[in-house]
Amino acid sequence: MTGETEMMQRQKGVALWRQIADRIRASIAAGDYDATGRVPTEMVLAESFGVNRHTVRAALAALAQEGIVRAEQGKGTWIERRDKFDFPIGLRTRFTQGIGDQARDLKGVLLSAEAETATAETARWLKLDIGAPVRRLDALRKADGRAVSRSTMWFPSARFEGIEEAFRQTESITRALSACGVPDYLREVTEVSAVHAEPDDVAQLALSPGAIVLVTKALNIDPEGVPIQFAITRFPADRVQFSIRNG
């Protein structure tokens, strides 16, 4: 439609096919095509968005790479029915417990671990001095073989010197924290935003360029209120949804 096309053209720096893929993805999520289970034809979509069929074809190809739709020769493009994992965010947010009863196999992979000095942002979240020593862990989590999150986490070095080895052995941040003397912890803050996938997201989370990821910035504290972990985590929006829970 004309209004939709003009709005997409004003989004500078975002390819038109990506914008159309976002619109189709949103329509699928909203159940707009549930009556047939089939996405409208390339011609119908091209007319509705005011673009050529090649642009629509590129958008549908990207969605097929994400596993959202599948094309059948001579039959059209169909929605792939894949239930999202529901990730609860509350006072005690735990990845293993939150996803555990929805998947048969959970795996945490340590991608890298480094000793760093706290940047202004990290220091603000962890209530440290800028330049204080911290441990940074980059990790990938999978559920039933599907990558569901990519995290960068920071911990105060003085308290968590062996956190990377504990995570490597247990594949769980909760168990790693327990091994470092913190058997319980609380979620103090979770900030959520949505962005297009960056190159690292595409590679690590097996996404197509232009896919949407949900980004959380979160702070965990010990029972005494002392910050222990600041994390930035990226979730594929087509695989994970959040449930915000009290208590």
Side-chain angles (χ1 to χ4, degrees), residues 77-143:
T77 301
W78 298 82
I79 300 167
E80 283 280 30
R81 296 297 181 187
R82 289 190 178 182
D83 291 336
K84 293 183 180 182
F85 291 106
D86 184 65
F87 184 58
I89 297 175
L91 184 61
R92 282 181 170 80
T93 300
R94 308 287 191 266
F95 179 84
T96 301
Q97 294 177 6
I99 299 291
D101 61 352
Q102 304 170 60
R104 294 181 300 275
D105 179 48
L106 294 177
K107 187 174 183 62
V109 181
L110 182 64
L111 301 175
S112 65
E114 301 288 342
E116 292 186 342
T117 55
T119 63
E121 181 181 34
T122 304
R124 176 174 61 83
W125 281 84
L126 291 175
K127 294 182 172 57
L128 298 172
D129 293 331
I130 295 176
V134 293
R135 304 295 298 179
R136 191 198 79 214
L137 274 62
D138 292 286
L140 184 70
R141 293 184 177 91
K142 296 183 177 182

Short mmCIF file of all heavy atoms in Angstrom, two decimals, residues 77-143:
data_model
loop_
_atom_site.label_atom_id
_atom_site.label_comp_id
_atom_site.label_asym_id
_atom_site.label_seq_id
_atom_site.Cartn_x
_atom_site.Cartn_y
_atom_site.Cartn_z
N THR A 77 4.04 -20.35 -0.96
CA THR A 77 4.90 -20.23 0.23
C THR A 77 4.05 -20.44 1.47
O THR A 77 3.03 -19.77 1.66
CB THR A 77 5.58 -18.85 0.29
OG1 THR A 77 6.36 -18.67 -0.90
CG2 THR A 77 6.49 -18.74 1.49
N TRP A 78 4.49 -21.36 2.32
CA TRP A 78 3.72 -21.77 3.50
C TRP A 78 4.42 -21.39 4.79
O TRP A 78 5.65 -21.34 4.86
CB TRP A 78 3.48 -23.28 3.47
CG TRP A 78 2.68 -23.71 2.28
CD1 TRP A 78 3.17 -23.94 1.01
CD2 TRP A 78 1.27 -23.92 2.22
NE1 TRP A 78 2.14 -24.28 0.17
CE2 TRP A 78 0.96 -24.29 0.87
CE3 TRP A 78 0.24 -23.85 3.15
CZ2 TRP A 78 -0.33 -24.57 0.47
CZ3 TRP A 78 -1.04 -24.14 2.74
CH2 TRP A 78 -1.32 -24.49 1.41
N ILE A 79 3.62 -21.14 5.81
CA ILE A 79 4.17 -20.80 7.12
C ILE A 79 4.68 -22.07 7.79
O ILE A 79 4.00 -23.10 7.79
CB ILE A 79 3.09 -20.15 8.01
CG1 ILE A 79 2.56 -18.87 7.37
CG2 ILE A 79 3.63 -19.86 9.41
CD1 ILE A 79 1.31 -18.34 8.02
N GLU A 80 5.89 -22.02 8.32
CA GLU A 80 6.43 -23.13 9.10
C GLU A 80 5.93 -22.98 10.54
O GLU A 80 6.19 -21.96 11.18
CB GLU A 80 7.96 -23.12 9.08
CG GLU A 80 8.55 -23.63 7.79
CD GLU A 80 8.55 -25.15 7.71
OE1 GLU A 80 7.66 -25.78 8.31
OE2 GLU A 80 9.44 -25.70 7.05
N ARG A 81 5.26 -23.98 11.05
CA ARG A 81 4.73 -23.93 12.41
C ARG A 81 5.79 -24.37 13.41
O ARG A 81 6.04 -25.55 13.59
CB ARG A 81 3.49 -24.82 12.53
CG ARG A 81 2.34 -24.37 11.66
CD ARG A 81 1.84 -22.99 12.08
NE ARG A 81 0.72 -22.57 11.25
CZ ARG A 81 0.18 -21.37 11.31
NH1 ARG A 81 0.64 -20.47 12.14
NH2 ARG A 81 -0.83 -21.05 10.54
N ARG A 82 6.47 -23.43 14.01
CA ARG A 82 7.45 -23.73 15.04
C ARG A 82 7.10 -22.92 16.28
O ARG A 82 7.12 -21.70 16.25
CB ARG A 82 8.87 -23.38 14.59
CG ARG A 82 9.43 -24.30 13.51
CD ARG A 82 10.90 -24.01 13.31
NE ARG A 82 11.49 -24.90 12.32
CZ ARG A 82 12.77 -24.88 11.99
NH1 ARG A 82 13.58 -24.01 12.58
NH2 ARG A 82 13.25 -25.71 11.08
N ASP A 83 6.81 -23.61 17.35
CA ASP A 83 6.48 -22.90 18.58
C ASP A 83 7.72 -22.20 19.13
O ASP A 83 8.83 -22.73 19.08
CB ASP A 83 5.95 -23.88 19.63
CG ASP A 83 4.58 -24.44 19.24
OD1 ASP A 83 3.89 -23.78 18.47
OD2 ASP A 83 4.25 -25.54 19.72
N LYS A 84 7.50 -21.02 19.66
CA LYS A 84 8.60 -20.29 20.29
C LYS A 84 8.85 -20.83 21.69
O LYS A 84 7.94 -21.31 22.36
CB LYS A 84 8.27 -18.80 20.38
CG LYS A 84 8.18 -18.08 19.05
CD LYS A 84 7.93 -16.60 19.27
CE LYS A 84 7.85 -15.83 17.96
NZ LYS A 84 7.63 -14.39 18.17
N PHE A 85 10.09 -20.72 22.13
CA PHE A 85 10.39 -20.99 23.53
C PHE A 85 9.94 -19.78 24.35
O PHE A 85 10.17 -18.63 23.96
CB PHE A 85 11.90 -21.21 23.74
CG PHE A 85 12.41 -22.49 23.14
CD1 PHE A 85 13.16 -22.47 21.98
CD2 PHE A 85 12.13 -23.71 23.73
CE1 PHE A 85 13.64 -23.64 21.42
CE2 PHE A 85 12.60 -24.89 23.18
CZ PHE A 85 13.35 -24.86 22.03
N ASP A 86 9.29 -20.05 25.45
CA ASP A 86 8.83 -18.98 26.34
C ASP A 86 9.85 -18.81 27.45
O ASP A 86 10.11 -19.74 28.22
CB ASP A 86 7.47 -19.34 26.94
CG ASP A 86 6.93 -18.21 27.80
OD1 ASP A 86 6.65 -17.14 27.25
OD2 ASP A 86 6.82 -18.40 29.02
N PHE A 87 10.47 -17.63 27.52
CA PHE A 87 11.51 -17.37 28.51
C PHE A 87 10.97 -16.44 29.59
O PHE A 87 10.71 -15.27 29.32
CB PHE A 87 12.74 -16.75 27.84
CG PHE A 87 13.90 -16.55 28.77
CD1 PHE A 87 14.44 -17.62 29.47
CD2 PHE A 87 14.45 -15.30 28.96
CE1 PHE A 87 15.51 -17.44 30.33
CE2 PHE A 87 15.51 -15.10 29.82
CZ PHE A 87 16.04 -16.18 30.50
N PRO A 88 10.76 -16.95 30.81
CA PRO A 88 10.21 -16.11 31.87
C PRO A 88 11.28 -15.19 32.48
O PRO A 88 12.41 -15.62 32.75
CB PRO A 88 9.72 -17.13 32.91
CG PRO A 88 10.60 -18.32 32.71
CD PRO A 88 10.93 -18.35 31.24
N ILE A 89 10.91 -13.94 32.68
CA ILE A 89 11.78 -12.97 33.34
C ILE A 89 11.10 -12.53 34.62
O ILE A 89 9.99 -12.00 34.59
CB ILE A 89 12.05 -11.76 32.43
CG1 ILE A 89 12.79 -12.20 31.16
CG2 ILE A 89 12.86 -10.70 33.17
CD1 ILE A 89 13.01 -11.09 30.17
N GLY A 90 11.75 -12.77 35.75
CA GLY A 90 11.17 -12.43 37.03
C GLY A 90 12.24 -12.18 38.07
O GLY A 90 13.39 -11.89 37.74
N LEU A 91 11.88 -12.32 39.32
CA LEU A 91 12.82 -12.05 40.41
C LEU A 91 14.00 -13.02 40.37
O LEU A 91 15.14 -12.64 40.63
CB LEU A 91 12.09 -12.16 41.75
CG LEU A 91 12.92 -11.83 43.00
CD1 LEU A 91 13.40 -10.39 42.96
CD2 LEU A 91 12.07 -12.07 44.26
N ARG A 92 13.71 -14.28 40.04
CA ARG A 92 14.77 -15.28 39.91
C ARG A 92 14.74 -15.81 38.47
O ARG A 92 14.09 -16.79 38.17
CB ARG A 92 14.59 -16.42 40.92
CG ARG A 92 15.04 -16.05 42.32
CD ARG A 92 14.86 -17.21 43.30
NE ARG A 92 15.51 -16.93 44.58
CZ ARG A 92 14.99 -16.18 45.55
NH1 ARG A 92 13.78 -15.64 45.37
NH2 ARG A 92 15.65 -15.97 46.67
N THR A 93 15.45 -15.11 37.60
CA THR A 93 15.49 -15.48 36.20
C THR A 93 16.62 -16.47 35.98
O THR A 93 17.78 -16.17 36.21
CB THR A 93 15.70 -14.23 35.32
OG1 THR A 93 14.62 -13.32 35.52
CG2 THR A 93 15.77 -14.61 33.84
N ARG A 94 16.25 -17.68 35.52
CA ARG A 94 17.22 -18.74 35.30
C ARG A 94 16.99 -19.33 33.91
O ARG A 94 15.88 -19.77 33.60
CB ARG A 94 17.09 -19.86 36.34
CG ARG A 94 17.10 -19.40 37.79
CD ARG A 94 18.50 -18.97 38.23
NE ARG A 94 18.58 -18.77 39.66
CZ ARG A 94 18.43 -17.59 40.28
NH1 ARG A 94 18.13 -16.51 39.54
NH2 ARG A 94 18.55 -17.49 41.59
N PHE A 95 18.01 -19.36 33.09
CA PHE A 95 17.84 -19.87 31.73
C PHE A 95 17.45 -21.35 31.75
O PHE A 95 16.49 -21.76 31.10
CB PHE A 95 19.12 -19.69 30.92
CG PHE A 95 19.02 -20.22 29.53
CD1 PHE A 95 18.46 -19.45 28.52
CD2 PHE A 95 19.46 -21.51 29.21
CE1 PHE A 95 18.35 -19.95 27.23
CE2 PHE A 95 19.35 -22.01 27.93
CZ PHE A 95 18.79 -21.23 26.94
N THR A 96 18.19 -22.16 32.50
CA THR A 96 17.94 -23.61 32.50
C THR A 96 16.55 -23.93 33.02
O THR A 96 15.81 -24.73 32.44
CB THR A 96 18.99 -24.34 33.34
OG1 THR A 96 20.29 -24.07 32.79
CG2 THR A 96 18.75 -25.84 33.33
N GLN A 97 16.15 -23.29 34.12
CA GLN A 97 14.82 -23.54 34.67
C GLN A 97 13.73 -22.99 33.76
O GLN A 97 12.66 -23.59 33.60
CB GLN A 97 14.71 -22.94 36.07
CG GLN A 97 15.60 -23.61 37.10
CD GLN A 97 15.51 -22.94 38.47
OE1 GLN A 97 14.70 -22.04 38.68
NE2 GLN A 97 16.35 -23.37 39.39
N GLY A 98 13.99 -21.83 33.16
CA GLY A 98 12.97 -21.18 32.34
C GLY A 98 12.68 -21.92 31.06
O GLY A 98 11.54 -22.02 30.62
N ILE A 99 13.73 -22.48 30.43
CA ILE A 99 13.57 -23.18 29.16
C ILE A 99 13.48 -24.69 29.36
O ILE A 99 12.97 -25.42 28.52
CB ILE A 99 14.75 -22.86 28.21
CG1 ILE A 99 14.79 -21.36 27.91
CG2 ILE A 99 14.65 -23.64 26.91
CD1 ILE A 99 13.67 -20.84 27.07
N GLY A 100 13.96 -25.14 30.51
CA GLY A 100 14.17 -26.57 30.74
C GLY A 100 13.01 -27.48 30.44
O GLY A 100 13.19 -28.54 29.83
N ASP A 101 11.80 -27.11 30.85
CA ASP A 101 10.67 -28.01 30.64
C ASP A 101 10.10 -27.91 29.23
O ASP A 101 9.12 -28.58 28.89
CB ASP A 101 9.57 -27.73 31.67
CG ASP A 101 9.02 -26.32 31.58
OD1 ASP A 101 9.59 -25.51 30.83
OD2 ASP A 101 8.03 -26.03 32.27
N GLN A 102 10.72 -27.08 28.36
CA GLN A 102 10.25 -26.93 26.99
C GLN A 102 11.19 -27.60 25.99
O GLN A 102 10.91 -27.63 24.79
CB GLN A 102 10.13 -25.45 26.63
CG GLN A 102 9.22 -24.66 27.56
CD GLN A 102 9.33 -23.17 27.31
OE1 GLN A 102 9.05 -22.69 26.21
NE2 GLN A 102 9.74 -22.42 28.32
N ALA A 103 12.31 -28.12 26.47
CA ALA A 103 13.31 -28.71 25.58
C ALA A 103 13.89 -29.97 26.20
O ALA A 103 13.99 -30.08 27.43
CB ALA A 103 14.42 -27.70 25.28
N ARG A 104 14.25 -30.91 25.37
CA ARG A 104 14.85 -32.15 25.86
C ARG A 104 16.34 -31.98 26.15
O ARG A 104 16.89 -32.61 27.04
CB ARG A 104 14.66 -33.27 24.83
CG ARG A 104 13.21 -33.68 24.61
CD ARG A 104 13.11 -34.80 23.60
NE ARG A 104 13.65 -34.41 22.31
CZ ARG A 104 12.97 -33.74 21.37
NH1 ARG A 104 11.72 -33.39 21.60
NH2 ARG A 104 13.53 -33.43 20.22
N ASP A 105 17.01 -31.12 25.37
CA ASP A 105 18.46 -30.99 25.49
C ASP A 105 18.85 -29.51 25.55
O ASP A 105 18.54 -28.74 24.64
CB ASP A 105 19.13 -31.66 24.29
CG ASP A 105 20.65 -31.54 24.34
OD1 ASP A 105 21.24 -31.83 25.40
OD2 ASP A 105 21.24 -31.15 23.31
N LEU A 106 19.49 -29.11 26.63
CA LEU A 106 20.00 -27.75 26.79
C LEU A 106 21.52 -27.79 26.80
O LEU A 106 22.12 -28.66 27.43
CB LEU A 106 19.49 -27.13 28.09
CG LEU A 106 17.99 -26.88 28.21
CD1 LEU A 106 17.68 -26.32 29.59
CD2 LEU A 106 17.51 -25.92 27.13
N LYS A 107 22.12 -26.83 26.14
CA LYS A 107 23.57 -26.80 26.07
C LYS A 107 24.07 -25.37 26.16
O LYS A 107 23.53 -24.48 25.49
CB LYS A 107 24.06 -27.43 24.75
CG LYS A 107 25.57 -27.61 24.66
CD LYS A 107 25.94 -28.36 23.39
CE LYS A 107 27.44 -28.61 23.30
NZ LYS A 107 27.93 -29.45 24.43
N GLY A 108 25.08 -25.15 26.98
CA GLY A 108 25.73 -23.85 27.08
C GLY A 108 27.15 -23.95 26.57
O GLY A 108 27.92 -24.81 27.03
N VAL A 109 27.52 -23.13 25.60
CA VAL A 109 28.84 -23.20 24.97
C VAL A 109 29.61 -21.93 25.28
O VAL A 109 29.14 -20.82 24.98
CB VAL A 109 28.71 -23.37 23.44
CG1 VAL A 109 30.09 -23.46 22.80
CG2 VAL A 109 27.87 -24.60 23.11
N LEU A 110 30.78 -22.08 25.88
CA LEU A 110 31.64 -20.92 26.15
C LEU A 110 32.39 -20.57 24.88
O LEU A 110 33.21 -21.37 24.38
CB LEU A 110 32.62 -21.24 27.28
CG LEU A 110 33.54 -20.09 27.70
CD1 LEU A 110 32.74 -18.93 28.28
CD2 LEU A 110 34.58 -20.58 28.69
N LEU A 111 32.12 -19.40 24.32
CA LEU A 111 32.77 -18.98 23.09
C LEU A 111 34.12 -18.33 23.36
O LEU A 111 35.08 -18.54 22.61
CB LEU A 111 31.87 -17.99 22.34
CG LEU A 111 30.49 -18.51 21.94
CD1 LEU A 111 29.66 -17.38 21.32
CD2 LEU A 111 30.60 -19.68 20.99
N SER A 112 34.22 -17.54 24.42
CA SER A 112 35.48 -16.90 24.77
C SER A 112 35.41 -16.39 26.21
O SER A 112 34.32 -16.23 26.77
CB SER A 112 35.79 -15.73 23.83
OG SER A 112 34.82 -14.69 23.97
N ALA A 113 36.57 -16.16 26.79
CA ALA A 113 36.66 -15.61 28.15
C ALA A 113 37.91 -14.74 28.21
O ALA A 113 38.97 -15.15 27.74
CB ALA A 113 36.72 -16.72 29.18
N GLU A 114 37.75 -13.56 28.77
CA GLU A 114 38.86 -12.61 28.82
C GLU A 114 38.88 -11.87 30.15
O GLU A 114 37.82 -11.64 30.75
CB GLU A 114 38.77 -11.58 27.69
CG GLU A 114 38.76 -12.16 26.28
CD GLU A 114 40.11 -12.69 25.86
OE1 GLU A 114 41.12 -12.33 26.50
OE2 GLU A 114 40.15 -13.47 24.88
N ALA A 115 40.07 -11.47 30.57
CA ALA A 115 40.22 -10.54 31.69
C ALA A 115 40.23 -9.13 31.09
O ALA A 115 40.95 -8.86 30.13
CB ALA A 115 41.51 -10.81 32.44
N GLU A 116 39.38 -8.26 31.61
CA GLU A 116 39.26 -6.91 31.09
C GLU A 116 39.26 -5.90 32.23
O GLU A 116 39.21 -6.27 33.41
CB GLU A 116 37.94 -6.74 30.31
CG GLU A 116 37.85 -7.52 29.03
CD GLU A 116 36.60 -7.19 28.25
OE1 GLU A 116 35.65 -6.64 28.85
OE2 GLU A 116 36.57 -7.49 27.06
N THR A 117 39.28 -4.62 31.85
CA THR A 117 39.02 -3.55 32.81
C THR A 117 37.65 -2.98 32.51
O THR A 117 37.24 -2.91 31.35
CB THR A 117 40.09 -2.45 32.73
OG1 THR A 117 40.16 -1.96 31.39
CG2 THR A 117 41.46 -2.99 33.15
N ALA A 118 36.92 -2.60 33.54
CA ALA A 118 35.54 -2.16 33.39
C ALA A 118 35.45 -0.86 32.59
O ALA A 118 36.13 0.13 32.90
CB ALA A 118 34.90 -1.98 34.75
N THR A 119 34.60 -0.87 31.56
CA THR A 119 34.28 0.35 30.84
C THR A 119 33.33 1.19 31.69
O THR A 119 32.87 0.76 32.75
CB THR A 119 33.61 0.03 29.50
OG1 THR A 119 32.36 -0.63 29.77
CG2 THR A 119 34.49 -0.88 28.65
N ALA A 120 32.99 2.37 31.19
CA ALA A 120 32.06 3.22 31.93
C ALA A 120 30.72 2.53 32.12
O ALA A 120 30.11 2.58 33.19
CB ALA A 120 31.89 4.56 31.21
N GLU A 121 30.22 1.85 31.06
CA GLU A 121 28.93 1.18 31.17
C GLU A 121 28.99 0.00 32.13
O GLU A 121 28.12 -0.16 33.00
CB GLU A 121 28.45 0.69 29.80
CG GLU A 121 27.09 0.01 29.86
CD GLU A 121 26.60 -0.51 28.53
OE1 GLU A 121 27.44 -0.94 27.72
OE2 GLU A 121 25.38 -0.51 28.29
N THR A 122 30.00 -0.85 31.98
CA THR A 122 30.12 -2.01 32.86
C THR A 122 30.29 -1.58 34.31
O THR A 122 29.68 -2.15 35.22
CB THR A 122 31.32 -2.88 32.43
OG1 THR A 122 31.15 -3.26 31.06
CG2 THR A 122 31.41 -4.13 33.29
N ALA A 123 31.10 -0.55 34.54
CA ALA A 123 31.31 -0.06 35.90
C ALA A 123 30.02 0.48 36.50
O ALA A 123 29.74 0.27 37.68
CB ALA A 123 32.39 1.03 35.89
N ARG A 124 29.22 1.16 35.68
CA ARG A 124 27.96 1.71 36.19
C ARG A 124 27.01 0.58 36.61
O ARG A 124 26.40 0.66 37.68
CB ARG A 124 27.30 2.58 35.11
CG ARG A 124 25.93 3.13 35.49
CD ARG A 124 25.42 4.09 34.44
NE ARG A 124 25.27 3.47 33.14
CZ ARG A 124 24.21 2.76 32.78
NH1 ARG A 124 23.19 2.56 33.64
NH2 ARG A 124 24.12 2.23 31.58
N TRP A 125 26.88 -0.45 35.79
CA TRP A 125 25.98 -1.54 36.13
C TRP A 125 26.46 -2.33 37.34
O TRP A 125 25.66 -2.70 38.21
CB TRP A 125 25.82 -2.48 34.93
CG TRP A 125 24.89 -1.98 33.88
CD1 TRP A 125 25.18 -1.12 32.86
CD2 TRP A 125 23.51 -2.31 33.73
NE1 TRP A 125 24.07 -0.89 32.08
CE2 TRP A 125 23.03 -1.62 32.59
CE3 TRP A 125 22.63 -3.13 34.42
CZ2 TRP A 125 21.71 -1.72 32.15
CZ3 TRP A 125 21.31 -3.25 33.98
CH2 TRP A 125 20.87 -2.54 32.86
N LEU A 126 27.75 -2.61 37.40
CA LEU A 126 28.29 -3.45 38.48
C LEU A 126 28.71 -2.64 39.71
O LEU A 126 29.20 -3.21 40.69
CB LEU A 126 29.49 -4.26 37.97
CG LEU A 126 29.15 -5.36 36.96
CD1 LEU A 126 30.43 -6.01 36.44
CD2 LEU A 126 28.23 -6.41 37.58
N LYS A 127 28.52 -1.30 39.63
CA LYS A 127 28.89 -0.41 40.74
C LYS A 127 30.37 -0.59 41.10
O LYS A 127 30.75 -0.78 42.27
CB LYS A 127 27.99 -0.64 41.96
CG LYS A 127 26.53 -0.25 41.71
CD LYS A 127 25.66 -0.44 42.95
CE LYS A 127 24.26 0.11 42.76
NZ LYS A 127 23.55 -0.48 41.60
N LEU A 128 31.20 -0.52 40.07
CA LEU A 128 32.65 -0.61 40.23
C LEU A 128 33.29 0.69 39.78
O LEU A 128 32.63 1.53 39.13
CB LEU A 128 33.21 -1.76 39.38
CG LEU A 128 32.73 -3.18 39.68
CD1 LEU A 128 33.24 -4.13 38.60
CD2 LEU A 128 33.18 -3.63 41.06
N ASP A 129 34.55 0.86 40.07
CA ASP A 129 35.31 1.98 39.52
C ASP A 129 35.64 1.69 38.06
O ASP A 129 35.89 0.53 37.69
CB ASP A 129 36.61 2.20 40.30
CG ASP A 129 36.36 2.67 41.73
OD1 ASP A 129 35.33 3.33 41.96
OD2 ASP A 129 37.20 2.35 42.60
N ILE A 130 35.63 2.73 37.24
CA ILE A 130 36.05 2.55 35.86
C ILE A 130 37.49 2.03 35.86
O ILE A 130 38.36 2.56 36.55
CB ILE A 130 35.95 3.87 35.06
CG1 ILE A 130 34.48 4.30 34.96
CG2 ILE A 130 36.57 3.72 33.67
CD1 ILE A 130 34.29 5.65 34.28
N GLY A 131 37.74 0.99 35.10
CA GLY A 131 39.07 0.40 35.07
C GLY A 131 39.27 -0.75 36.04
O GLY A 131 40.32 -1.39 36.02
N ALA A 132 38.25 -1.03 36.87
CA ALA A 132 38.37 -2.16 37.80
C ALA A 132 38.43 -3.47 37.01
O ALA A 132 37.85 -3.58 35.93
CB ALA A 132 37.18 -2.17 38.75
N PRO A 133 39.14 -4.47 37.52
CA PRO A 133 39.24 -5.75 36.79
C PRO A 133 37.93 -6.52 36.77
O PRO A 133 37.26 -6.65 37.79
CB PRO A 133 40.33 -6.51 37.56
CG PRO A 133 40.30 -5.92 38.93
CD PRO A 133 39.95 -4.48 38.76
N VAL A 134 37.55 -7.01 35.59
CA VAL A 134 36.34 -7.82 35.43
C VAL A 134 36.67 -9.02 34.54
O VAL A 134 37.66 -9.01 33.80
CB VAL A 134 35.18 -7.01 34.80
CG1 VAL A 134 34.71 -5.92 35.74
CG2 VAL A 134 35.60 -6.42 33.45
N ARG A 135 35.85 -10.05 34.64
CA ARG A 135 35.93 -11.20 33.76
C ARG A 135 34.79 -11.12 32.76
O ARG A 135 33.64 -10.90 33.15
CB ARG A 135 35.81 -12.51 34.54
CG ARG A 135 36.81 -12.69 35.67
CD ARG A 135 38.22 -12.78 35.18
NE ARG A 135 38.45 -13.94 34.31
CZ ARG A 135 39.63 -14.20 33.75
NH1 ARG A 135 40.65 -13.37 33.93
NH2 ARG A 135 39.78 -15.27 32.99
N ARG A 136 35.11 -11.25 31.46
CA ARG A 136 34.08 -11.23 30.42
C ARG A 136 33.94 -12.61 29.81
O ARG A 136 34.93 -13.22 29.39
CB ARG A 136 34.43 -10.24 29.32
CG ARG A 136 33.27 -9.99 28.34
CD ARG A 136 33.71 -9.39 27.04
NE ARG A 136 34.28 -10.39 26.16
CZ ARG A 136 35.29 -10.16 25.32
NH1 ARG A 136 35.87 -8.97 25.29
NH2 ARG A 136 35.76 -11.13 24.55
N LEU A 137 32.71 -13.10 29.76
CA LEU A 137 32.41 -14.38 29.14
C LEU A 137 31.46 -14.15 27.97
O LEU A 137 30.48 -13.40 28.11
CB LEU A 137 31.75 -15.35 30.13
CG LEU A 137 32.65 -16.20 31.03
CD1 LEU A 137 33.49 -15.32 31.95
CD2 LEU A 137 31.80 -17.15 31.86
N ASP A 138 31.75 -14.78 26.85
CA ASP A 138 30.82 -14.81 25.71
C ASP A 138 30.33 -16.24 25.57
O ASP A 138 31.14 -17.18 25.50
CB ASP A 138 31.53 -14.37 24.43
CG ASP A 138 31.89 -12.90 24.47
OD1 ASP A 138 30.98 -12.06 24.33
OD2 ASP A 138 33.08 -12.58 24.65
N ALA A 139 29.02 -16.41 25.56
CA ALA A 139 28.45 -17.76 25.57
C ALA A 139 27.27 -17.88 24.62
O ALA A 139 26.54 -16.91 24.38
CB ALA A 139 28.03 -18.14 26.98
N LEU A 140 27.09 -19.07 24.10
CA LEU A 140 25.96 -19.41 23.24
C LEU A 140 25.16 -20.50 23.94
O LEU A 140 25.72 -21.44 24.49
CB LEU A 140 26.47 -19.94 21.89
CG LEU A 140 25.44 -20.25 20.81
CD1 LEU A 140 24.82 -18.96 20.28
CD2 LEU A 140 26.09 -21.04 19.68
N ARG A 141 23.83 -20.34 23.93
CA ARG A 141 22.97 -21.36 24.52
C ARG A 141 22.07 -21.95 23.44
O ARG A 141 21.52 -21.23 22.60
CB ARG A 141 22.13 -20.77 25.65
CG ARG A 141 22.95 -20.33 26.86
CD ARG A 141 22.04 -19.85 27.97
NE ARG A 141 22.76 -19.47 29.16
CZ ARG A 141 23.21 -18.26 29.42
NH1 ARG A 141 23.04 -17.30 28.53
NH2 ARG A 141 23.82 -17.99 30.56
N LYS A 142 21.92 -23.28 23.51
CA LYS A 142 21.10 -23.99 22.55
C LYS A 142 20.04 -24.82 23.27
O LYS A 142 20.28 -25.32 24.37
CB LYS A 142 21.96 -24.91 21.69
CG LYS A 142 22.98 -24.19 20.81
CD LYS A 142 23.74 -25.17 19.94
CE LYS A 142 24.71 -24.45 19.02
NZ LYS A 142 25.43 -25.40 18.13
N ALA A 143 18.88 -24.95 22.62
CA ALA A 143 17.81 -25.79 23.13
C ALA A 143 17.38 -26.71 22.01
O ALA A 143 16.98 -26.25 20.93
CB ALA A 143 16.63 -24.96 23.61
#
